[in-house]
Amino acid sequence: MNYKLSEEHLMIQQAARDFAQTELLPGVIERDEKQEFPAEQIKKMGELGFMGMMVDPKYGGSGMDTISYAIAMEEISKVDASASVAMSVNNSLVCWGLETYGSEEQKQKYLTKLATGEKLGAFCLSEPEAGSDATSQKTTAIDKGDHYLINGTKNWITNGSTADYYLVIAQTYPEKGHHGINAFIMEKGMEGFEIGPKEQKMGIRGSDTHSLMFTDVKVPKENRIGEDGFGFKFAMKTLAGGRIGIASQALGIAAGAYELAKEYAKVRKAFGKEIYKHQAIAFKLADMHTQIEAARHLVLKSAWDKDNGENYDLSGAMAKLYASQVAMDVTTEAVQVHGGNGYVKEYHVERLMRDAKITQIYEGTSEIQKIVISRGILRD
């Protein structure tokens, strides 16, 4: 075992950290208040190679490993989780799904633009009646020979109005259950494709979250991903990698809050000395640091498994389950360390606390992760 990051990984970490501090930190509070999508910053992330980190350079990507991606996600998430979730969806769900399962024509037409950040992607699985139970797809895709007609509603879609390309999961053969589900590439502007109002959220308020409505949207047959009936498997395989991205996001939110709390504890005085000199605060920081280190090891282990061709279903689920809990615990304690100032926006930790909660919900709730983990450990 080698617990040291390589020189390349350290360079990526520093580049992501510098970008977060110089480009994302200014204005992050205002974007949260206004629920403003960081469009300019996302475009710059694409120019730096952060939006297609694991994509082969022949398709415009950075050609990096999953560890590099996890490291960059952590650094971006320390400052702005709204930017990092857009990065996560584009990398983990859209680009990876297309590169792994898409046709060469689909890669040339769509992936090359997504990997460079020229275009932005969205992943459309959740529905009003299909959240954790992804098999209950009510959106339909009727085979019309050379095209499909898609009808239905998707909700809680990240990059909902800002995306250019959408990977949509829909039911073609209801009698076949999840074996009758397909995945399609849809483009913004297709006739019958309507974008609903932006969701009013507790956290990641800069993230662009919308419902999508489809009314007889005509999608060419060549836009189906994989064989007929492959859609559900495509969604599950893609989400398995997405868990690593969200685990990295949760880790970053926790680490960002911890760093702010530690620095605050060094300058804030109470009873005649800096508060870190009080055991009550010092022990909080010790617990926070330990939890974060444990979460980081789980995240990097799942990324290592993916890079080395190992099954990462179990390690990815464990990383997401634990890191998201750590994000909640650490951000709550960071607010506590800041005292009354922790409840004030200008100190950032209250926003990180609000942002942390969603990591226990999207791309598989903590309860779903426990199902995945229990199945993995009880299979033999």
Side-chain angles (χ1 to χ4, degrees):
M1 291 181 285
N2 183 359
Y3 288 101
K4 290 186 177 180
L5 296 177
S6 68
E7 287 297 320
E8 182 181 0
H9 289 145
L10 289 171
M11 288 174 59
I12 293 164
Q13 183 182 59
Q14 189 61 51
R17 184 176 297 162
D18 290 345
F19 179 83
Q21 292 296 320
T22 59
E23 299 289 344
L24 291 174
L25 185 58
V28 67
I29 294 173
E30 290 76 14
R31 290 195 301 274
D32 174 75
E33 288 180 341
K34 297 176 182 177
Q35 303 188 71
E36 180 182 324
F37 182 72
E40 180 183 340
Q41 291 80 1
I42 295 293
K43 185 63 68 175
K44 290 180 180 178
M45 287 165 67
E47 293 169 359
L48 290 172
F50 288 132
M51 299 303 284
M53 292 188 70
M54 298 172 286
V55 176
D56 192 306
K58 71 180 180 181
Y59 298 119
S62 302
M64 298 179 186
D65 58 12
T66 314
I67 290 175
S68 299
Y69 166 59
I71 290 168
M73 274 292 298
E74 178 185 349
E75 293 301 324
I76 298 295
S77 302
K78 286 180 180 180
V79 174
D80 189 349
S82 294
S84 71
V85 71
M87 173 181 166
S88 176
V89 167
N90 206 71
N91 274 279
S92 296
L93 303 183
V94 181
C95 284
W96 187 86
L98 280 176
E99 185 173 22
T100 306
Y101 298 110
S103 67
E104 186 61 29
E105 292 74 20
Q106 290 168 351
K107 293 174 189 178
Q108 293 295 340
K109 184 176 181 180
Y110 298 108
L111 180 60
T112 52
K113 296 180 177 67
L114 289 161
T116 60
E118 177 186 345
K119 301 291 186 180
L120 187 62
F123 186 81
C124 309
L125 175 63
S126 294
E127 297 182 2
E129 296 181 36
S132 293
D133 181 10
T135 61
S136 298
Q137 295 292 304
K138 296 295 187 291
T139 298
T140 58
I142 307 304
D143 191 342
K144 293 293 185 178
D146 64 342
H147 68 276
Y148 289 86
L149 277 184
I150 297 184
N151 287 274
T153 301
K154 297 291 180 180
N155 59 351
W156 308 307
I157 303 303
T158 299
N159 304 335
S161 74
T162 45
D164 303 280
Y165 306 138
Y166 300 76
L167 304 190
V168 177
I169 312 301
Q171 179 64 263
T172 302
Y173 310 105
E175 69 278 5
K176 295 183 180 180
H178 69 274
H179 295 293
I181 293 172
N182 278 308
F184 303 91
I185 305 167
M186 293 176 62
E187 300 179 27
K188 180 188 286 181
M190 285 181 164
E191 188 175 352
F193 184 165
E194 182 183 350
I195 299 170
K198 187 169 184 172
E199 300 290 354
Q200 306 293 310
K201 306 190 301 292
M202 176 176 77
I204 59 165
R205 287 165 57 82
S207 175
D208 188 42
T209 311
H210 292 257
S211 291
L212 308 176
M213 286 73 76
F214 312 125
T215 305
D216 287 338
V217 180
K218 187 176 179 180
V219 177
K221 184 149 277 186
E222 58 264 28
N223 281 30
R224 188 187 71 205
I225 301 172
E227 297 298 318
D228 200 6
F230 180 67
F232 184 75
K233 187 175 182 181
F234 170 81
M236 294 302 103
K237 290 288 187 181
T238 304
L239 284 171
R243 292 179 191 130
I244 299 174
I246 299 305
S248 304
Q249 181 190 46
L251 170 63
I253 292 170
Y258 162 73
E259 290 173 8
L260 290 168
K262 185 172 69 170
E263 292 308 308
Y264 184 81
K266 290 178 180 179
V267 296
R268 174 68 172 177
K269 290 185 177 181
F271 304 103
K273 57 185 177 181
E274 292 81 3
I275 62 172
Y276 81 90
K277 294 178 180 177
H278 295 285
Q279 189 179 76
I281 301 301
F283 278 15
K284 283 184 185 297
L285 295 172
D287 286 340
M288 294 158 76
H289 180 76
T290 302
Q291 287 178 284
I292 289 167
E293 279 296 293
R296 185 173 289 121
H297 281 74
L298 281 172
V299 169
L300 293 177
K301 171 61 164 59
S302 63
W304 185 93
D305 283 346
K306 189 170 184 288
D307 287 336
N308 286 274
E310 301 287 342
N311 187 309
Y312 53 90
D313 290 352
L314 182 61
S315 59
M318 290 192 295
K320 184 181 183 299
L321 174 67
Y322 186 72
S324 61
Q325 183 61 57
V326 168
M328 284 300 298
D329 293 345
V330 168
T331 55
T332 301
E333 287 291 68
V335 171
Q336 193 72 16
V337 169
H338 279 75
N341 285 331
Y343 218 64
V344 177
K345 290 182 181 296
E346 68 179 278
Y347 288 85
H348 295 284
V349 287
E350 65 84 28
R351 172 173 48 82
L352 292 170
M353 182 179 174
R354 288 187 285 107
D355 289 348
K357 182 58 190 175
I358 192 61
T359 65
Q360 294 183 308
I361 298 172
Y362 58 15
E363 293 193 34
T365 63
S366 293
E367 291 75 17
I368 291 296
Q369 303 315 313
K370 290 182 181 181
I371 291 174
V372 173
I373 295 165
S374 61
R375 286 176 178 170
I377 62 177
L378 299 171
R379 187 173 292 123
D380 296 331

